[in-house]
Amino acid sequence: MLYNALLLAHVLSVIVWIGGMVFSHFFLRPAAQMLEPPQRVRLMHGVLQRFLGAVAVAAVVVLASGLGMIGVARAAAANAFAMPLDWTIMATIGLVMMGIFGFIYLVLLKRLGQAVAAFDWPAGGQALARIRTLVGVNLLIGVLIVAQTLLL
């Protein structure tokens, strides 16, 4: 029962994270391109503040629930536990995703906020371009993790 609750929290958090990246990358950003730079940069800053805050919570839940599931499996197997290869791959690549997210959240979002506060739309556009690239990388990695998990 505990394992199932942890798995549910894990999967729902992954859905929020990957689903949000799909929405922002393929729907919001292209639509925002129709706006003038001041409106576009402000809009994306507001959206990213909210979304990345939610992803911060989701990432913590993904990490905690993943560790919890490993702990439950280890306890059930007693001394005979060997972490499956697909779990090891998922955990390792998930940590890479969290590192990329941390850079976006702690560095690039701050740069974007500074550009908005200074009305520096070219700097805001540069920050958004870096964020877009790294979100694309994380989206690709996240899809690969989901595919690897379902196919192995």
Side-chain angles (χ1 to χ4, degrees), residues 37 106 132:
L106 299 172
R132 181 188 77 233

Side-chain angles (χ1 to χ4, degrees), residues 1-12 61-62 64-77 81 83-84 86-88 90 149:
M1 183 67 163
L2 174 59
Y3 184 89
N4 290 340
L6 291 167
L7 180 60
L8 177 63
H10 197 81
V11 170
L12 290 176
V61 172
V62 166
S65 60
L67 291 172
M69 287 186 289
I70 291 168
V72 168
R74 183 179 304 241
F81 180 77
M83 194 152 105
D86 60 327
W87 288 17
T88 303
M90 182 180 5
T149 302

Side-chain angles (χ1 to χ4, degrees), residues 108-131:
L108 296 179
L109 185 61
K110 182 178 180 181
R111 285 184 195 162
L112 179 58
Q114 290 168 339
V116 168
F119 305 102
D120 186 350
W121 310 125
Q126 288 175 341
L128 284 172
R130 295 266 330 261
I131 290 169

